[in-house]
Amino acid sequence: MATIEEALEIERLERDIFRGASTKTQLPRTFGGQVAGQALVSAVRTVEPRFQVHSLHGYFLRPGNPQEPTVYQVERIRDGRSFCTRRVTGIQDGAAIFTMSASFHVGDQGPEHQDDMPDVPMPEDLPDASTTMTPERLWAMREWEHWDIRMVPQENVSRRDGVVSQQQVWFRYRHLLPDDPLVHVCTLAYMSDMTLLGSSKVIHPDEPTQNASLDHAMWFLRPFRADEWLLYDQSSPSAGFGRGLTGGKIFTRDGKLVAAVVQEGLIRTMRED
């Protein structure tokens, strides 16, 4: 399967128009993390190097065809001294499949605080997915063979009072990535769509549903490396009307909070037809 470099590869067609590569996949539609990651790479290519991504907000409008490339049109909404903003639209066959706003910041000084990382088993104390060959894990391992993903068993999840549906996942990219911080940011944007919607199904394990990401928001808070272990602390505060709201905090293994994610997804009861 595709490496992250292949999955995020884009070609510049015009000053603000890019084409993202299609990659080998088992999925019937383009993986949402790949679309978001390619859109973010496109936006990054239009800003000065002194600006770093600090947030993105995207909507998945139509399923993408994984056999076809996606064209990304970037709009330069604002270029300021401290912040700049880009809007990106992903297009296939003349129709928008994804739209995203991304904001960039040069960085400033100010007060600092963060939540504590939950007390969970360390990744080396959990089995590699390749050693737990259930059909679901085998399928996922093939699709994302370049990622080491380790689920914290539900009996070991660090519980919080009043939080109804929780899931915790350790992950890292298996291969060494370049030192460029933007490479790690775009890699994490790709990865952030993986497993998150599953937190809405934790307390409904036997209910068959049709699942798809609807929108995705992400904030990058501190430097990190995507080829080192990161803990994705996920929860779903609400589900109803065929939609599930999910959120996640991403920590380094030494407890630094490096990103936050909120996503709503389709979890519609399967219909007989």
Side-chain angles (χ1 to χ4, degrees), residues 91-161:
I91 300 169
Q92 282 188 349
D93 295 325
I97 66 168
F98 180 72
T99 183
M100 181 187 77
S101 294
S103 184
F104 299 77
H105 186 213
V106 295
D108 285 309
Q109 296 295 317
E112 293 190 20
H113 66 266
Q114 68 155 77
D115 287 350
D116 291 335
M117 185 176 80
D119 184 14
V120 298
M122 290 290 105
E124 55 269 18
D125 298 325
L126 301 171
D128 189 318
S130 62
T131 66
T132 54
M133 294 294 190
T134 64
E136 295 81 5
R137 285 185 179 273
L138 182 59
W139 183 90
M141 187 188 70
R142 286 174 179 161
E143 183 66 31
W144 290 289
E145 62 184 351
H146 299 287
W147 293 90
D148 194 343
I149 303 170
R150 306 192 183 194
M151 306 290 295
V152 175
Q154 278 295 304
E155 62 268 23
N156 296 122
V157 167
S158 179
R159 302 290 176 186
R160 301 190 296 276
D161 290 343

Side-chain angles (χ1 to χ4, degrees), residues 20-35:
S22 59
T23 57
K24 184 178 179 181
T25 181
Q26 305 170 107
L27 301 174
R29 58 180 180 264
T30 307
F31 174 52
Q34 182 176 12
V35 178

Side-chain angles (χ1 to χ4, degrees), residues 85-248:
T85 307
R86 297 292 184 263
R87 182 183 297 128
V88 187
T89 304
I91 300 169
Q92 282 188 349
D93 295 325
I97 66 168
F98 180 72
T99 183
M100 181 187 77
S101 294
S103 184
F104 299 77
H105 186 213
V106 295
D108 285 309
Q109 296 295 317
E112 293 190 20
H113 66 266
Q114 68 155 77
D115 287 350
D116 291 335
M117 185 176 80
D119 184 14
V120 298
M122 290 290 105
E124 55 269 18
D125 298 325
L126 301 171
D128 189 318
S130 62
T131 66
T132 54
M133 294 294 190
T134 64
E136 295 81 5
R137 285 185 179 273
L138 182 59
W139 183 90
M141 187 188 70
R142 286 174 179 161
E143 183 66 31
W144 290 289
E145 62 184 351
H146 299 287
W147 293 90
D148 194 343
I149 303 170
R150 306 192 183 194
M151 306 290 295
V152 175
Q154 278 295 304
E155 62 268 23
N156 296 122
V157 167
S158 179
R159 302 290 176 186
R160 301 190 296 276
D161 290 343
V163 179
V164 65
S165 188
Q166 289 182 250
Q167 180 172 271
Q168 288 158 344
V169 186
W170 285 101
F171 68 91
R172 66 175 175 181
Y173 192 64
R174 291 185 184 272
H175 315 298
L176 183 67
L177 292 170
D179 291 334
D180 183 355
L182 288 173
V183 171
H184 296 268
V185 164
C186 294
T187 299
L188 189 60
Y190 173 98
M191 177 60 195
S192 63
D193 187 45
M194 203 182 303
T195 74
L196 182 56
L197 191 54
S199 65
S200 66
K201 294 293 299 297
V202 167
I203 58 174
H204 312 284
D206 300 321
E207 186 170 346
T209 56
Q210 177 188 1
N211 306 323
S213 303
L214 296 175
D215 61 3
H216 195 84
M218 191 168 187
W219 296 263
F220 301 93
L221 308 173
R222 291 173 180 82
F224 63 91
R225 292 190 65 94
D227 53 8
E228 296 178 352
W229 284 114
L230 297 169
L231 176 67
Y232 206 165
D233 179 29
Q234 305 167 347
S235 64
S236 176
S238 177
F241 303 99
R243 305 187 310 274
L245 181 65
T246 60

